[in-house]
């Protein structure tokens, strides 16, 4: 009989739905196991919500995580919220996507409006293997000559704190930070006390608050295209909007990450893993095989 032939598409969708349910459960279980949700629940302040981009027309909220395809997702959000102003996400220049006034974030609403949206809108975020994301951030911010603002703001501080006998030039420019120095800076208790991490290396857990905000969908960098197009389909725009695909030749890979970690002592690796541990657990990333944990 014909009715036994389940359409392939709906079967795929139900499999995808199950996959996302498993990812959601993983977050819930991790929050519970680390009693993040039960420990005197920290109330979110508007300041905690500045990474949550709101699309009123499609009732969606996207929490952006730097170094996890966030430029392309911001471009897509500009197409979705632009009411016809933009057609093709890739025609939007990258720097334009990062202009904060081009997108509305949840912290710009009143408390009742915030609560209404958190309760009723479809919420999603994208995650990536934490150390791969970290190496990606390091390569982008500290090895590119054009990122002088980062060299000045963080590089000089890292050199001053982590490098013995630093030259005057290195102290002034901060443009030759080694990965080992960057790691030493991240695990230094002084750094954590001084100010929050920059968003490019801040944990997803601290940027998007997955223990307090119940995300409907957790996309992964490793399955970026499928996950993104599934979300666009659920938003009802999948027929005219596809997630931009392009192979970036400079992309940070697992092999590259392995290489960067070769020179990090096992003691520092262990401390760094502790910093990012909740991201590993919450989003189901196993301890990398190259780590020499103590």
């Amino acid at each position: 009989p014909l009715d036994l032939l389940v359409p392939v598409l709906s079967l795929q969708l139900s499999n995808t739905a199950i996959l996302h349910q498993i990812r959601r459960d993983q977050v819930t279980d991790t929050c519970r196991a680390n009693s993040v949700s039960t420990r005197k629940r920290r109330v979110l302040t508007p300041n905690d919500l500045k990474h949550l981009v709101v699309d009123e027309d499609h009732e969606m909220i996207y929490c952006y995580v730097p170094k996890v395809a966030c430029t392309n997702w911001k471009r897509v959000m500009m197409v979705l919220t632009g009411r016809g102003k933009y057609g093709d996400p890739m025609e939007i220049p990258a720097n334009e996507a990062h202009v904060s006034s081009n997108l509305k974030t949840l912290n710009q609403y009143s408390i009742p409006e915030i609560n209404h949206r958190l309760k009723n809108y479809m919420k999603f975020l994208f995650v990536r293997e934490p150390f791969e994301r970290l190496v990606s951030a390091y390569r982008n911010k500290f090895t590119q000559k054009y990122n002088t603002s980062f060299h000045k703001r963080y590089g000089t501080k890292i050199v001053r704190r982590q490098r013995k006998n630093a030259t005057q030039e290195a102290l002034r420019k901060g443009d030759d930070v080694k990965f080992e120095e960057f790691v030493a800076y991240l695990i230094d208790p002084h750094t954590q006390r001084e100010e929050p991490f920059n968003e490019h290396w801040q944990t997803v857990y601290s940027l998007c608050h997955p223990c307090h905000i119940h995300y409907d969908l957790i996309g992964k960098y490793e399955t970026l295209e499928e996950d993104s197009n599934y979300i666009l389909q659920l938003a009802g725009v999948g027929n005219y909007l596809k997630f931009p695909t392009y192979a970036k030749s400079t992309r940070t890979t697992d092999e590259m990450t392995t290489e960067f970690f070769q020179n990090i002592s096992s003691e520092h690796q262990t401390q760094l893993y502790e910093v990012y541990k909740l991201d590993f657990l919450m989003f189901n990333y196993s301890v990398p095989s190259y780590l020499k944990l103590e």
Side-chain angles (χ1 to χ4, degrees), residues 19 22-30 127-130 218 220 222 273 276-288:
L19 172 73
I22 291 169
R23 289 180 187 171
R24 281 197 299 272
D25 291 345
Q26 177 78 20
V27 170
T28 311
D29 294 347
T30 308
V127 300
R128 182 178 186 177
E129 202 280 333
I218 296 157
K220 293 202 158 188
E222 294 75 17
Y273 180 76
Y276 291 94
K277 187 175 171 181
L278 277 179
D279 278 6
F280 275 101
L281 296 174
M282 220 167 249
F283 306 117
N284 210 11
Y285 289 108
S286 48
V287 177

Side-chain angles (χ1 to χ4, degrees), residues 175-190:
D175 64 353
D176 65 345
V177 170
K178 294 186 190 64
F179 186 63
E180 298 87 290
E181 295 171 327
F182 179 51
V183 169
Y185 162 79
L186 293 176
I187 60 181
D188 183 348
H190 186 86

Side-chain angles (χ1 to χ4, degrees), residues 76-88:
V76 168
M77 293 301 277
M78 281 173 72
V79 172
L80 289 173
T81 58
R83 307 204 168 177
K85 193 170 154 193
Y86 310 98
D88 174 8

Side-chain angles (χ1 to χ4, degrees), residues 1 82 131 203 221:
F131 284 172
T203 59
Y221 191 75

Side-chain angles (χ1 to χ4, degrees), residues 22-132:
I22 291 169
R23 289 180 187 171
R24 281 197 299 272
D25 291 345
Q26 177 78 20
V27 170
T28 311
D29 294 347
T30 308
C31 292
R32 208 172 284 144
N34 293 275
S35 70
V36 181
S37 44
T38 50
R39 196 174 53 212
K40 187 168 141 353
R41 208 193 122 177
R42 192 168 80 76
V43 178
L44 294 178
T45 64
N47 195 39
D48 290 319
L49 306 173
K50 51 180 192 286
H51 273 250
L52 278 76
V53 175
V54 182
D55 170 5
E56 292 292 350
D57 294 350
H58 307 91
E59 305 203 334
M60 295 204 301
I61 294 174
Y62 159 56
C63 183
Y64 69 90
V65 178
K67 307 314 298 170
V68 192
C70 95
T71 307
N72 278 353
W73 258 110
K74 283 179 174 180
R75 284 170 163 143
V76 168
M77 293 301 277
M78 281 173 72
V79 172
L80 289 173
T81 58
R83 307 204 168 177
K85 193 170 154 193
Y86 310 98
D88 174 8
M90 291 319 276
E91 278 172 9
I92 302 170
N95 56 346
E96 187 79 0
H98 295 296
V99 174
S100 54
S101 58
N102 282 331
L103 289 165
K104 199 155 188 203
T105 48
L106 197 56
N107 57 336
Q108 297 167 11
Y109 293 83
S110 71
I111 304 289
E113 288 173 329
I114 289 172
N115 288 333
H116 170 78
R117 281 156 184 73
L118 281 177
K119 203 169 128 204
N120 298 293
Y121 285 16
M122 180 172 92
K123 301 171 291 299
F124 68 96
L125 78 165
F126 274 79
V127 300
R128 182 178 186 177
E129 202 280 333
F131 284 172
E132 198 182 288

